[in-house]
């Protein structure tokens, strides 16, 4: 097993919801609630779940764009919360993000050259000529051309813009890239090209990815391991092969049943979940109880712990983990 690059330990992010008189009855939205996982050097960890499950909030806490309410995030053996603003800015050289909507994340008034040069200037990397060379080199690495440097974001297609977003993330030679729904805004035909590009870059540049998506189908071919989140908690985490071959948590089973199968002769019944995440937040017990077809009385009172049931495959469900 490779070295641990990132360790997220019991991390929480609670947002205040409403305050009673004198703030005595403050209640919170538990966007992320007691999330722990490790990311190993050179791997891709997929994090999957519906909108509002806390996956993007987790990514933003790793970048310290959001401060955790509690817990620890250790990157390259350094506790990120202990870093000053200046130290954290330096650490961000090694952790970069690729965003869902490349158009919104690229300044429309700047040329591609200016967009790609910016992280180098922020981190004091290279002189003018070196920066120019690096911009041209990375445009070619992501499948564009040096002459694209003088163009503006609106002059590119969605797929090309995401290539620019990826190039920007690579400019500082990061170790970890957090890709937050990087292909969700793209046509299906373009998604595969961008995923293949990311996979090739990972091999060539020895990158480590956290790949956030709402669809298990998208992360399947790029992830070594996948964590499934539901309402702020990881409910299942496993090596990809194990998770796709034998999903254990009822929520993972439902998500996976919605992923199309390329073989038309194979029929799989889609599991339809009742309700939605927003209307199903219980005060106690398993967060999935109101939508789960297998819920029993214990599910209403006791939060299931994430328990390893076979090598590297952990699940948080009273039906499975605690019987082992
Ligand atoms: Fe369903 Fe209970 Fe398992 Fe939660 S703990 S997923 S409610 S069976």
């Amino acid at each position: 097993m490779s070295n641990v690059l990132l360790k997220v330990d019991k991390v929480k992010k609670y947002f205040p919801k409403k305050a009673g008189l004198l703030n005595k009855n403050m209640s919170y939205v538990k966007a992320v609630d007691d999330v722990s996982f490790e990311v190993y050097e050179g791997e891709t960890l997929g994090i999957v779940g519906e909108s509002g499950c806390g996956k993007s909030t987790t990514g933003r806490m790793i970048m310290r764009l959001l401060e955790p309410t509690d817990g620890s995030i250790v990157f390259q053996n350094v506790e990120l919360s202990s870093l000053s603003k200046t130290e954290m800015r330096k650490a961000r050289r090694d952790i970069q993000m690729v965003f869902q909507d490349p158009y919104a994340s690229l300044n429309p008034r700047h040329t591609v050259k200016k967009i790609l040069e910016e992280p180098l200037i922020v981190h004091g990397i290279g002189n003018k000529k070196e920066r120019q060379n690096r911009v041209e080199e990375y445009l070619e690495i992501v499948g564009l051309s040096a002459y694209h440097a003088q163009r503006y974001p609106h002059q590119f297609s969605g797929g090309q813009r995401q290539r620019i977003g990826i190039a920007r993330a690579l400019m500082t030679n990061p170790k970890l890239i957090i890709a937050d729904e990087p292909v969700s805004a793209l046509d299906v035909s373009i998604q595969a090209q961008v995923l293949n590009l990311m996979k090739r870059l990972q091999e060539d540049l020895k990158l480590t990815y956290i790949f956030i998506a709402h669809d298990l189908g998208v992360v399947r071919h790029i992830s070594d391991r996948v964590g499934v989140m539901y309402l702020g908690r990881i409910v299942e985490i496993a090596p990809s092969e194990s998770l796709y071959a034998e999903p254990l948590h009822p929520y993972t089973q439902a998500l996976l049943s919605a992923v199309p199968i390329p073989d038309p002769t194979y029929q799989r019944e889609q599991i339809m979940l009742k309700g939605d995440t927003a209307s199903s937040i219980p005060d106690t017990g398993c967060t999935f109880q109101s939508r789960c077809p297998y819920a029993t009385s214990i599910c209403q009172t006791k939060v299931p712990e994430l328990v390893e049931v076979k090598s590297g495959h952990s699940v948080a469900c009273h039906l499975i983990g605690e019987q082992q």
Side-chain angles (χ1 to χ4, degrees):
M1 183 67 81
S2 318
N3 295 332
V4 173
L5 183 67
L6 176 81
K7 185 172 168 63
V8 172
D9 193 24
K10 297 189 172 61
V11 164
K12 298 178 180 172
K13 181 65 187 176
Y14 293 178
F15 293 104
K17 199 161 55 173
K18 61 176 184 225
L21 198 60
L22 302 176
N23 281 351
K24 273 186 182 161
N25 298 316
M26 181 77 84
S27 65
Y28 296 90
V29 175
K30 297 179 178 178
V32 174
D33 196 14
D34 215 4
V35 161
S36 301
F37 58 85
E38 292 175 337
V39 182
Y40 301 98
E41 265 174 20
E43 77 162 344
T44 298
L45 174 69
I47 300 186
V48 177
E50 290 163 288
S51 143
C53 72
K55 55 192 193 301
S56 295
T57 304
T58 303
R60 279 157 200 271
M61 283 193 289
I62 295 166
M63 290 292 288
R64 262 186 81 192
L65 299 173
L66 282 172
E67 292 296 332
T69 307
D70 199 6
S72 143
I73 300 175
V74 174
F75 176 69
Q76 297 192 115
N77 299 318
V78 175
E79 170 62 57
L80 294 183
S81 66
S82 70
L83 300 181
S84 66
K85 278 196 176 148
T86 313
E87 289 167 333
M88 189 61 215
R89 208 172 303 130
K90 282 192 195 142
R92 286 205 191 98
R93 182 176 168 160
D94 286 336
I95 316 175
Q96 290 285 328
M97 262 188 117
V98 174
F99 297 93
Q100 173 177 1
D101 182 351
Y103 199 52
S105 67
L106 304 176
N107 189 327
R109 288 188 297 276
H110 288 177
T111 61
V112 168
K113 173 174 181 278
K114 192 159 184 191
I115 289 167
L116 296 188
E117 229 187 356
E118 194 190 355
L120 299 178
I121 294 171
V122 166
H123 292 285
I125 301 169
N127 59 30
K128 205 170 171 211
K129 180 72 191 142
E130 287 162 346
R131 291 198 300 267
Q132 167 80 22
N133 290 344
R134 194 164 171 86
V135 165
E136 291 177 1
E137 180 191 350
Y138 273 77
L139 279 173
E140 308 230 338
I141 282 178
V142 299
L144 296 170
S145 301
Y147 67 82
H148 285 126
Q150 299 312 324
R151 297 197 179 165
Y152 290 86
H154 74 268
Q155 296 176 288
F156 295 89
S157 68
Q160 287 175 320
R161 282 199 288 263
Q162 194 53 296
R163 288 173 190 265
I164 297 166
I166 292 168
R168 181 180 55 182
L170 293 174
M171 293 306 284
T172 59
N173 256 341
K175 303 221 165 38
L176 174 66
I177 292 199
I178 301 172
D180 189 357
E181 304 259 14
V183 298
S184 307
L186 305 177
D187 290 346
V188 175
S189 57
I190 308 295
Q191 287 185 356
Q193 292 174 15
V194 173
L195 288 171
N196 287 339
L197 169 68
M198 289 185 69
K199 212 158 171 47
R200 178 171 62 75
L201 291 171
Q202 180 171 43
E203 282 158 22
D204 293 351
L205 304 174
K206 310 271 175 275
L207 295 166
T208 304
Y209 291 146
I210 294 179
F211 195 105
I212 296 169
H214 61 272
D215 179 346
L216 270 171
V218 167
V219 298
R220 180 170 197 151
H221 296 294
I222 196 162
S223 302
D224 299 291
R225 291 184 304 131
V226 176
V228 178
M229 284 188 76
Y230 187 78
L231 283 177
R233 288 178 168 266
I234 290 187
V235 296
E236 186 162 5
I237 186 164
S240 291
E241 284 153 35
S242 183
L243 188 105
Y244 287 91
E246 196 187 356
L248 297 175
H249 196 281
Y251 178 60
T252 315
Q253 291 168 355
L255 275 187
L256 201 55
S257 78
V259 175
I261 300 169
D263 179 357
T265 61
Y266 184 80
Q267 297 282 314
R268 181 170 61 194
E269 196 185 337
Q270 185 171 351
I271 303 169
M272 301 303 292
L273 291 175
K274 53 187 177 180
D276 56 41
T277 47
S279 61
S280 66
I281 307 171
D283 291 334
T284 56
C286 174
T287 49
F288 192 53
Q289 61 184 268
S290 65
R291 303 178 77 191
C292 180
Y294 312 109
T296 61
S297 55
I298 190 176
C299 306
Q300 294 167 16
T301 53
K302 191 174 170 209
V303 177
E305 297 289 326
L306 195 62
V307 177
E308 186 169 16
V309 292
K310 50 186 172 167
S311 179
H313 194 148
S314 301
V315 62
C317 174
H318 292 307
L319 282 188
I320 302 141
E322 290 160 27
Q323 290 169 359
Q324 305 290 313

